[in-house]
Amino acid sequence: MSVEPLLTVVNVSLAIRGNAIVQNVNFQLTPGEIVALIGPNGAGKSTLVRLVLGLLRPDSGRIMLKPGLRIGYMPQRLSVADTLPLTVQRFITLGMAASRSQVRELLAEVGAEQVLDSPVQAISGGELQRVLLARALLRQPDLLVLDEPIQGVDLNGQYELHDLISNLRRQRGCGILMVSHELHLVMATTDHVICLNRHVCCSGHPDHVARDPAYLELFGLEGARTLAIYHHHHNHRHDLHGAVVAAAEDDAHG
């Protein structure tokens, strides 16, 4: 039995001031699937995300969402003025109703419960990314849209966040559309890769994309080698500061 797509993008194009930003893009995303958008700076990845979110309208083509679809969005970056008195609890609930216990549960789910009452400006980069993710989850989304979710996070934190995103997909059954520059982690968590350079250069499973001539031309042999061989298998985890936390015995021997 076929599964109804959460998102269908058909021949979508957009030009800004006569400059083609996105050209004839097509893809679908189904429940429980992780789709990664990769490509160089200026390739149109974030613009495509804004089109999906309805923040921009395409010049041509269609973007179709499953009726009643709930979307949770995690932006690429957040800047909060130092003079603004804003706690994590207050930030997560801006514009959305939620109890303190609900916010605490969400933060616990993403591994950041301890920052509930901290000023947003005082938390680390890894903690901030988890807070942004918790806010995106507040809507109980069917589709999570993550724009560079591991930006500004150290390597151990990157592994942890990618593992967390994979676990959220499994536990919640939501689809995930993710923009990523981290080619070494795409293989570990992605079902389908779309290599974008204003148009779709190639797409498919990471193994397939890594061998595609268009990908090789765009990222070079070293980038292709990184994507093709990297598999991340964690037999431990790290806390928010990067320290190793012992895994459960059954995990260690699994």
Side-chain angles (χ1 to χ4, degrees):
M1 183 181 296
S2 62
V3 177
E4 181 180 3
L6 300 173
L7 167 68
T8 303
V9 176
V10 181
N11 293 327
V12 164
S13 296
L14 175 69
I16 298 176
R17 294 186 293 276
N19 185 28
I21 306 299
V22 174
Q23 297 175 297
N24 298 320
V25 171
N26 295 270
F27 70 93
Q28 286 188 334
L29 194 153
T30 57
E33 182 181 25
I34 299 181
V35 174
L37 296 173
I38 65 172
N41 290 333
K45 302 184 298 297
S46 291
T47 297
L48 183 56
V49 164
R50 289 194 287 270
L51 286 163
V52 167
L53 294 174
L55 302 175
L56 294 172
R57 296 187 64 178
D59 295 329
S60 60
R62 293 183 298 161
I63 295 175
M64 294 172 284
L65 304 179
K66 181 180 177 180
L69 183 75
R70 296 186 303 273
I71 298 178
Y73 172 55
M74 180 178 171
Q76 185 177 125
R77 60 179 61 88
L78 174 73
S79 179
V80 178
D82 290 339
T83 55
L84 185 63
L86 187 65
T87 65
V88 167
Q89 152 78 22
R90 177 61 179 148
F91 167 71
I92 288 178
T93 57
L94 283 175
M96 293 186 282
S99 68
R100 181 177 174 86
S101 62
Q102 286 176 307
V103 174
R104 188 188 296 276
E105 287 175 7
L106 285 172
L107 287 172
E109 185 176 3
V110 300
E113 183 180 4
Q114 73 279 5
V115 303
L116 177 67
D117 294 314
S118 300
V120 172
Q121 301 91 333
I123 62 179
S124 71
E127 289 168 338
L128 178 59
Q129 295 306 95
R130 290 171 187 255
V131 167
L132 291 172
L133 186 55
R135 178 173 164 80
L137 292 172
L138 184 57
R139 294 176 55 86
Q140 297 296 317
D142 307 300
L143 172 63
L144 267 175
V145 179
L146 312 177
D147 195 352
E148 295 286 0
I150 61 174
Q151 181 174 265
V153 180
D154 65 21
L155 189 59
N156 285 336
Q158 290 176 16
Y159 294 153
E160 285 296 307
L161 279 167
H162 269 271
D163 286 347
L164 174 59
I165 289 166
S166 293
N167 289 335
L168 288 172
R169 180 264 298 267
R170 287 192 294 268
Q171 294 163 5
R172 289 176 171 256
C174 58
I176 296 175
L177 177 63
M178 177 173 61
V179 175
S180 180
H181 276 103
E182 306 301 330
L183 301 181
H184 64 291
L185 288 172
V186 167
M187 174 68 80
T189 55
T190 302
D191 303 306
H192 190 93
V193 174
I194 298 171
C195 184
L196 193 69
N197 193 15
R198 304 191 182 226
H199 66 283
V200 176
C201 299
C202 54
S203 66
H205 187 273
D207 283 330
H208 168 76
V209 169
R211 295 190 296 269
D212 192 287
Y215 175 85
L216 294 171
E217 181 178 353
L218 201 59
F219 289 100
L221 291 174
E222 185 59 34
R225 189 178 300 115
T226 299
L227 179 58
I229 67 171
Y230 182 82
H231 294 269
H232 177 57
H233 300 290
H234 245 128
N235 60 0
H236 62 275
R237 62 186 181 87
H238 307 269
D239 63 22
L240 291 176
H241 306 290
V244 173
V245 178
E249 183 175 342
D250 56 345
D251 291 335
H253 297 287

